[in-house]
Amino acid sequence: MLPSAILLGMDEGMIATALLSGPDAIMAADRNGLITFWNGGAERLFGFPADQAVGESLDLIIPKKLRARHWDGWHRVMQTGQSRYGDGDLLAVPAIRADGSTISVEFVIHPVSDTSGQLIGVAATLRDVTARFEETRDLKRRLAER
């Protein structure tokens, strides 16, 4: 049993159920940026079923104009094991849904290491913040017009 699971009084099956069915999108990718985990929240957020997302590149959800910048940072993190974002930093970016629409997501990254401490990928917890982003953008636009 996982140490944190003991503290929570939950077994690993209960934790797995929470991760798979929770409201937040949770996904993971390996060192090569291939999706290795995609929960029900990710299916709802992005519109891709798990069997369509797992094994695909993160390009599946990254807008084309941001891919070069994303991959530069990704490869740097995978080589060095260091990110410019600290533990728990909330990041906000646009993302692509299965229907081609763009949404705004906030997410936290979780480095994933093997038993020797080698970085083997990244997991992330994501939420759709499109409505809040659009509202803020509209308020800024109206303020600028005054």
Side-chain angles (χ1 to χ4, degrees), residues 16-57:
T17 298
L19 289 175
L20 290 171
S21 64
D24 288 333
I26 301 173
M27 57 180 293
D30 66 13
R31 289 185 65 82
N32 298 313
L34 298 179
I35 297 167
T36 58
F37 180 82
W38 190 264
N39 77 341
E43 289 184 350
R44 289 185 294 277
L45 179 61
F46 295 108
F48 295 101
D51 62 353
Q52 191 177 359
V54 172
E56 293 296 320
S57 166

Side-chain angles (χ1 to χ4, degrees), residues 1 28 40 58 135:
M1 186 175 288
L58 288 170
E135 180 180 317

Side-chain angles (χ1 to χ4, degrees), residues 20-132:
L20 290 171
S21 64
D24 288 333
I26 301 173
M27 57 180 293
D30 66 13
R31 289 185 65 82
N32 298 313
L34 298 179
I35 297 167
T36 58
F37 180 82
W38 190 264
N39 77 341
E43 289 184 350
R44 289 185 294 277
L45 179 61
F46 295 108
F48 295 101
D51 62 353
Q52 191 177 359
V54 172
E56 293 296 320
S57 166
L58 288 170
D59 284 345
L60 185 70
I61 60 171
I62 300 170
K64 285 183 182 179
K65 67 181 182 179
L66 300 177
R67 288 179 185 167
R69 183 175 173 197
H70 164 80
W71 290 114
D72 286 345
W74 180 272
H75 294 302
R76 186 172 39 260
V77 169
M78 290 301 130
Q79 289 172 354
T80 66
Q82 301 294 316
S83 171
R84 67 181 189 168
Y85 304 108
D87 289 340
D89 281 353
L90 190 61
L91 310 172
V93 297
I96 301 296
R97 292 183 37 83
D99 64 7
S101 62
T102 300
I103 58 173
S104 296
V105 296
E106 285 183 343
F107 65 102
V108 176
I109 59 171
H110 315 281
V112 178
S113 300
D114 63 16
T115 56
S116 69
Q118 176 72 31
L119 185 62
I120 59 171
V122 173
T125 306
L126 307 97
R127 284 198 175 152
D128 183 349
V129 295
T130 305
R132 186 176 74 212

